[in-house]
Amino acid sequence: MADGSRSVRGGGGSPGSSPVLGGRCRGWAPSAVPPGHGFRRVTLTKPTFCHYCTDFIWGLAGYQCEVCNFMSHEKCLKNVKIPCSCIAPSLVRVPVAHCFGPPGHYKRKFCTVCRKSLESPAFRCEVCELHVHTDCILFACSDCRQCHQDGHQDQAHAACYIIVTPECTFGRLRNMILPPSCVQLFSRNFSKLHCFRISENLQAESEEEDDVDGSTQVSAKDVQISTDSSKQTLKIFDGNDAVKRNQFRLISIPRIAKNEEVVEAALRAYYINDDQQEYELQTFTQQALLSDDVINRNDAAEDSNSGSVFRESVPEAWIIRAKPKDEEVIRIYPAWLKVAMAYVSLRVNKESTTQSVIKEVLPLLGRQTECLQNFKLVEVLMGSKQVQRMVLDSQELILNRLKDIRKTSIRQMNQTRFYVVENSKSIVRVNLFIGGLPPQLSPEEYTNILKDELAIKTNVVSVSHVYQAQGAVVLEISCFSEAERIYMLVKDTTVNDKPLNAVVIPEVMASKIPQNCWPLLVFVNPKSGGLKGRDLLHSFRKLLNPHQVFELTNGGPLPGFHTFSKVPSFRVLVCGGDGTVGWVLGALEEIRHKLVCSEPSVAILPLGTGNDLGRVLRWGAGYSGEDPYSVLISVDEADDVLMDRWTILLDAEEPADGAENGVAEPEPPKIVQMNNYCGLGIDAELSLDFHHAREEEPGKFNSRFHNKGVYVKVGLQKISHTRNLHKDIKLQVDQREVELPSIEGLIFINIPSWGSGADLWGSDSDDRFEKPRIDDGLLEVVGVTGVVHMGQVQGGFRSGIRIAQGSYFRVTLLKPIPVQVDGEPWIQAPGQIIISAAGPKVHMLKKSKQKQKKTGSLKEMRVDSMAVSEGGR
């Protein structure tokens, strides 16, 4: 705490470089506060790296912090700006809780609290990539990135506010990041996983079951029971809460040690940097472990002097307590008041109440003319998982409150702050996206369904948006408890045997988005590309604002498009296979009329097996682990191109199989959208067999290599089969009958890539046809004679049989025939298939041809961007 009865601490700081530890920019102010480390020279017994420069420490000596184990070269000591864990809570500007999923195993990562490797299950923040041991998580503070406003905040980041003036510029990715100041989310009662739409089943799973909240939280790395006969190990509790939960820290001290030495070791174990003279130790017997009857050993006369010693016969468990004070200095933070200071220091005594503190603080903040009743004092506990707020009563004695907190836990006292907050009426507005409802109903019908199934309270719940074609609605809820109840109830609710799904939707304040900002809306299919989709989800949440990254298995593309519906200009990145791209483009076509930016440009990060569209747009044959930051840079520099999309009308003339009593109506017409190609015959038959194989054993289809192997296997099984497709169908192109040659497969192609990169049309010039383009409004019709011919095309030895080129097609099926559109196969009953252009062309992003050498260093740009956009704590 600051000395003196009153002082004012400025909140500004000059911009400076932010060191990176383990790939995670801490974003601390270099000139604001000393790092607080207690370095000592140590002898190295195993290969060790410097936590500051990340280089190997050569020789046998290094410098290690006695509190947080930060390791450094001697030459790096003067440059270390990363603070010790003991003072980290005091450097946070606006507390923001972390987004932890279930504990998992993470290789080559280090704990942000104790700096040791994560050899046991640990937690990872899905937003800022903080890693922490399960037993160190209590000592991590609320220093995550600020990603949205919670109804009253105005800052962009939690710590960038201190180190960058006047505001964070987000580095190289500034044009793509959705600024946190433009996003509003009333998130109380919802976990961080729910706020960022993160599925818990996609988190890293531990290799064994671990009870994180068990009765005793001591990991193997802390159990340092020394075999040295001159040492003893003690259990240290930090307050009543730790005693009740039986959560303690172990310290190793000499068999004979002074009180001061034990207190100092106990404070280090709890990452507390206060003067050890302000604390004392109390002991209790093992029988009293679960009771509130604590024996204060320090009250005894023989132990009251500084020469008291701990001998071998002392009890093994102790409680560290703060000594009572008649007065002390506390910090009062101005919260979201528009003032040019971080906090004020104020001396309080036994008579100081909440009201008297507010009265003294307001003049220091330049609010001396304000009425006291317009302000309140809020106690904030900055836990790593949750930021807890409590409004103090106006007559509450401050010293008594501090005493109660320290009695509960001195660790919690180190993470507790007091904020002076202006009273204001906050309007609660929680938006929930509800999907899985029957399509094509009226708003009143959807409201009635929700009343029947979810018992919604119409006085606090209203339907704000309706998506009839998709069977989805958006609810606006003015009560936190009602929003939480509906969200949890939806998980177990089905309508017409179809499960409902709920997604918490943020509100994007489009008027606050800078004019030169085109936020990137990211869709990721975590089921594509093995585990690469999951890794990309985490990377993009870290590099961008998590509110602009959507997981397609959690509600599909519609929640993302609804969130960006008022954004004047944005781009889209789809991470998945061709089927995923078609899914997103289809959803875009359906919702286009409700978007302010009705024609966003779409980029592709190919994660599927074929990835033909990704190849044509130069995004590659498939994602192979490139740096996600480099991917975003490529998207930002990509060229905008147009691409045709096609509508396929499937009109079966015969009834579907399985009709009861032999009487049934024909299947209703079906409409599908096509981006790449449509195949009939052998091509679709192979896709159908592959699809069936994947449905039988989905767990095996997690790599492109295996998928292609299965495709080859089903192809070999079809070599000896003969078909006469040309006798089973009739083709009409632009109102003209076309005679088909002897073929087994007929393929309509929109892009010059088919079957994982093959050129089915060929490159030879032909006066009968125009040169194909993806935006020429024409489709090319090609035939193949069988599996061998298809293999030759994919090997580059032959091309297909050119049949026609046109803009309107009618295919008559005389018998059931396999059909596939963009890799999705089925058996189509006899009838008509009509293919025509689908509305406006879609805007796609084509990766620009980059030179081998570019001006500037991409690596330097990435460090600069991460230091600002990812590091604000």
Side-chain angles (χ1 to χ4, degrees):
M1 298 296 180
D3 295 328
S5 60
R6 293 179 183 174
S7 65
V8 179
R9 176 63 181 269
S14 59
S17 60
S18 299
V20 176
L21 172 63
R24 179 175 182 266
C25 172
R26 297 294 302 167
W28 304 113
S31 59
V33 186
H37 293 284
F39 285 110
R40 61 183 174 89
R41 185 183 176 94
V42 294
T43 301
L44 305 179
T45 59
K46 58 183 179 180
T48 307
F49 292 85
C50 176
H51 286 147
Y52 174 73
C53 68
T54 71
D55 290 339
F56 185 77
I57 300 180
W58 296 96
L60 299 177
Y63 286 83
Q64 185 179 39
C65 175
E66 292 183 308
V67 177
C68 69
N69 300 309
F70 190 96
M71 186 65 68
S72 172
H73 289 107
E74 182 177 7
K75 64 180 181 180
C76 293
L77 285 177
K78 61 182 180 181
N79 299 319
V80 172
K81 307 301 180 186
I82 300 172
C84 181
S85 300
C86 65
I87 68 167
S90 66
L91 304 183
V92 177
R93 171 64 174 174
V94 177
V96 180
H98 291 283
C99 180
F100 293 117
H105 288 273
Y106 302 99
K107 298 180 180 179
R108 299 181 297 277
K109 298 294 182 181
F110 295 86
C111 176
T112 194
V113 174
C114 69
R115 320 286 183 184
K116 296 181 180 179
S117 62
L118 303 180
E119 298 174 353
S120 57
F123 290 101
R124 178 183 71 179
C125 177
E126 296 298 318
V127 175
C128 69
E129 205 185 20
L130 176 142
H131 291 83
V132 60
H133 289 109
T134 55
D135 58 315
C136 288
I137 195 169
L138 295 174
F139 304 98
C141 60
S142 305
D143 61 346
C144 192
R145 280 194 300 151
Q146 181 100 18
C147 299
H148 60 263
Q149 296 185 38
D150 198 7
H152 40 53
Q153 296 101 322
D154 234 358
Q155 285 79 8
H157 282 77
C160 278
Y161 184 86
I162 298 178
I163 65 173
V164 181
T165 304
E167 62 183 20
C168 181
T169 62
F170 304 115
R172 173 63 181 83
L173 302 178
R174 66 179 66 89
N175 293 335
M176 313 178 75
I177 292 178
L178 182 63
S181 60
C182 304
V183 184
Q184 189 174 60
L185 178 65
F186 295 84
S187 56
R188 200 180 76 184
N189 289 36
F190 289 103
S191 73
K192 284 285 186 142
L193 293 177
H194 296 159
C195 292
F196 296 125
R197 306 166 305 281
I198 299 174
S199 299
E200 295 189 22
N201 57 353
L202 290 180
Q203 305 303 306
E205 297 179 357
S206 58
E207 295 177 2
E208 58 186 8
E209 294 296 326
D210 292 272
D211 186 8
V212 178
D213 295 322
S215 60
T216 304
Q217 293 209 12
V218 183
S219 68
K221 69 183 180 65
D222 282 322
V223 183
Q224 301 171 350
I225 301 178
S226 176
T227 57
D228 188 349
S229 59
S230 63
K231 298 282 187 178
Q232 62 175 319
T233 301
L234 300 180
K235 294 180 182 178
I236 303 295
F237 297 86
D238 77 324
N240 295 349
D241 185 65
V243 172
K244 292 178 180 179
R245 297 175 181 269
N246 195 24
Q247 294 176 342
F248 54 84
R249 307 284 283 182
L250 295 179
I251 63 172
S252 181
I253 60 171
R255 290 284 179 187
I256 300 178
K258 293 184 178 180
N259 280 341
E260 292 83 353
E261 294 174 342
V262 182
V263 170
E264 184 178 0
L267 291 175
R268 280 203 306 267
Y270 281 94
Y271 301 99
I272 295 174
N273 198 34
D274 296 345
D275 184 359
Q276 55 96 6
Q277 296 293 335
E278 298 178 358
Y279 294 86
E280 61 187 7
L281 287 165
Q282 297 178 354
T283 184
F284 53 89
T285 62
Q286 188 67 30
Q287 289 75 17
L289 185 63
L290 299 178
S291 73
D292 293 329
D293 184 17
V294 178
I295 301 173
N296 188 344
R297 179 180 185 272
N298 293 288
D299 287 341
E302 65 270 21
D303 297 320
S304 60
N305 59 76
S306 61
S308 298
V309 296
F310 281 77
R311 301 184 183 276
E312 186 175 356
S313 59
V314 300
E316 64 168 358
W318 298 80
I319 305 177
I320 186 168
R321 299 283 195 189
K323 295 179 181 178
K325 299 178 182 179
D326 293 331
E327 63 176 19
E328 62 179 291
V329 176
I330 64 172
R331 291 177 178 178
I332 305 295
Y333 291 78
W336 300 277
L337 302 179
K338 304 290 186 179
V339 294
M341 59 193 69
Y343 60 83
V344 296
S345 296
L346 196 70
R347 186 176 295 278
V348 296
N349 53 39
K350 292 183 177 180
E351 286 74 35
S352 298
T353 64
T354 298
Q355 189 172 16
S356 66
V357 167
I358 295 176
K359 184 176 181 180
E360 290 187 63
V361 166
L362 288 181
L364 300 178
L365 299 177
R367 298 293 190 98
Q368 57 269 20
T369 61
E370 302 273 356
C371 178
L372 292 181
Q373 281 68 35
N374 293 337
F375 295 87
K376 57 188 175 184
L377 196 63
V378 179
E379 176 188 314
V380 177
L381 175 59
M382 304 185 299
S384 59
K385 288 185 175 182
Q386 186 180 14
V387 178
Q388 301 178 28
R389 297 175 174 88
M390 183 179 70
V391 179
L392 299 183
D393 184 82
S394 61
Q395 298 304 316
E396 182 156 8
L397 296 174
I398 300 300
L399 275 187
N400 287 351
R401 182 60 194 155
L402 296 176
K403 180 180 178 181
D404 291 342
I405 297 173
R406 291 190 175 107
K407 187 175 181 181
T408 300
S409 169
I410 61 172
R411 170 192 57 80
Q412 288 187 16
M413 186 65 236
N414 199 37
Q415 296 177 344
T416 299
R417 284 183 177 179
F418 296 96
Y419 284 83
V420 58
V421 180
E422 193 169 9
N423 288 324
S424 61
K425 265 195 172 183
S426 59
I427 301 175
V428 177
R429 187 170 61 251
V430 180
N431 295 316
L432 279 185
F433 174 92
I434 308 294
L437 295 166
Q440 305 300 342
L441 299 181
S442 66
E444 293 76 16
E445 290 174 314
Y446 284 125
T447 301
N448 291 333
I449 290 177
L450 296 175
K451 284 182 180 179
D452 295 338
E453 301 293 338
L454 304 177
I456 63 171
K457 302 174 183 177
T458 53
N459 60 322
V460 293
V461 181
S462 62
V463 177
S464 61
H465 295 81
V466 176
Y467 296 98
Q468 294 174 315
Q470 297 80 14
V473 298
V474 177
L475 302 182
E476 186 174 295
I477 308 170
S478 59
C479 174
F480 281 122
S481 59
E482 177 69 0
E484 183 184 29
R485 186 190 69 82
I486 293 175
Y487 182 87
M488 302 305 294
L489 188 58
V490 164
K491 295 181 178 181
D492 301 320
T493 302
T494 60
V495 176
N496 297 342
D497 296 327
K498 185 178 180 181
L500 300 184
N501 60 80
V503 179
V504 180
I505 296 292
E507 179 183 353
V508 177
M509 295 173 285
S511 60
K512 292 189 176 183
I513 299 177
Q515 291 185 350
N516 60 345
C517 179
W518 301 273
L520 184 67
L521 174 58
V522 180
F523 294 109
V524 181
N525 187 348
K527 295 182 178 180
S528 298
L531 298 178
K532 291 186 176 67
R534 291 170 53 178
D535 295 338
L536 285 169
L537 267 172
H538 173 68
S539 297
F540 287 139
R541 288 189 186 115
K542 171 172 167 270
L543 290 169
L544 303 171
N545 190 325
H547 288 302
Q548 63 190 107
V549 181
F550 287 79
E551 177 189 321
L552 285 172
T553 55
N554 190 8
L558 193 54
F561 283 126
H562 173 80
T563 301
F564 273 59
S565 60
K566 297 180 182 179
V567 178
S569 298
F570 67 93
R571 291 168 289 183
V572 178
L573 173 62
V574 182
C575 306
D578 287 340
T580 301
V581 176
W583 183 14
V584 173
L585 291 179
L588 173 61
E589 183 66 31
E590 292 176 344
I591 198 179
R592 184 190 303 274
H593 63 286
K594 293 190 177 182
L595 302 179
V596 173
C597 177
S598 60
E599 297 182 349
S601 300
V602 181
I604 300 171
L605 185 56
L607 299 181
T609 302
N611 302 316
D612 288 294
L613 186 54
R615 296 170 193 263
V616 171
L617 297 175
R618 289 203 287 257
W619 294 107
Y623 177 71
S624 56
E626 293 87 355
D627 183 7
Y629 177 83
S630 302
V631 172
L632 293 177
I633 296 298
S634 297
V635 172
D636 193 38
E637 297 174 348
D639 302 320
D640 192 275
V641 297
L642 293 174
M643 186 183 76
D644 298 324
R645 295 188 74 237
W646 300 83
T647 297
I648 301 178
L649 174 64
L650 304 160
D651 189 4
E653 295 178 350
E654 291 188 1
D657 294 337
E660 295 183 8
N661 302 322
V663 179
E665 293 293 330
E667 292 183 359
K670 177 181 177 183
I671 296 178
V672 296
Q673 302 293 327
M674 184 190 85
N675 301 305
N676 301 352
Y677 37 70
C678 170
L680 292 80
I682 184 62
D683 168 54
E685 190 173 342
L686 295 183
S687 296
L688 190 62
D689 289 348
F690 175 84
H691 181 72
H692 290 159
R694 182 167 55 184
E695 283 187 334
E696 290 178 359
E697 297 179 292
K700 293 185 177 181
F701 290 76
N702 54 13
S703 72
R704 283 190 291 270
F705 181 79
H706 178 270
N707 294 352
K708 290 181 179 179
V710 174
Y711 196 86
V712 171
K713 180 180 178 181
V714 298
L716 293 175
Q717 296 172 350
K718 305 289 184 181
I719 286 182
S720 60
H721 295 198
T722 58
R723 301 162 193 81
N724 297 305
L725 182 67
H726 58 287
K727 297 181 180 179
D728 300 328
I729 65 174
K730 294 180 181 180
L731 174 64
Q732 190 181 88
V733 179
D734 294 335
Q735 310 298 330
R736 298 193 322 270
E737 294 288 340
V738 175
E739 185 177 352
L740 295 176
S742 178
I743 56 175
E744 291 189 24
L746 186 69
I747 304 168
F748 300 82
I749 53 177
N750 184 45
I751 61 175
S753 179
W754 167 86
S756 300
D759 186 1
L760 190 59
W761 183 259
S763 57
D764 296 340
S765 60
D766 193 331
D767 295 336
R768 297 177 301 164
F769 307 108
E770 297 181 19
K771 185 178 180 179
R773 299 198 323 269
I774 64 173
D775 62 343
D776 57 4
L778 300 174
L779 280 181
E780 288 69 49
V781 186
V782 183
V784 292
T785 59
V787 174
V788 174
H789 187 184
M790 292 172 60
Q792 292 171 334
V793 171
Q794 291 182 331
F797 302 109
R798 290 180 62 183
S799 58
I801 302 173
R802 296 179 181 178
I803 296 176
Q805 190 179 52
S807 59
Y808 183 85
F809 307 86
R810 180 186 292 270
V811 181
T812 303
L813 305 186
L814 304 179
K815 60 181 291 187
I817 290 177
V819 175
Q820 67 98 357
V821 175
D822 291 343
E824 297 299 323
W826 69 90
I827 298 292
Q828 180 63 28
Q832 302 289 324
I833 298 179
I834 298 175
I835 305 175
S836 59
K841 303 178 190 294
V842 63
H843 289 256
M844 304 298 294
L845 288 174
K846 189 174 185 178
K847 189 175 182 180
S848 61
K849 293 182 178 179
Q850 300 177 357
K851 298 179 181 179
Q852 292 293 329
K853 295 183 180 180
K854 295 184 64 176
T855 57
S857 169
L858 186 61
K859 183 177 180 181
E860 291 178 1
M861 287 193 301
R862 181 178 188 226
V863 171
D864 173 68
S865 177
M866 290 178 65
V868 192
S869 68
E870 177 257 339
R873 303 294 194 274

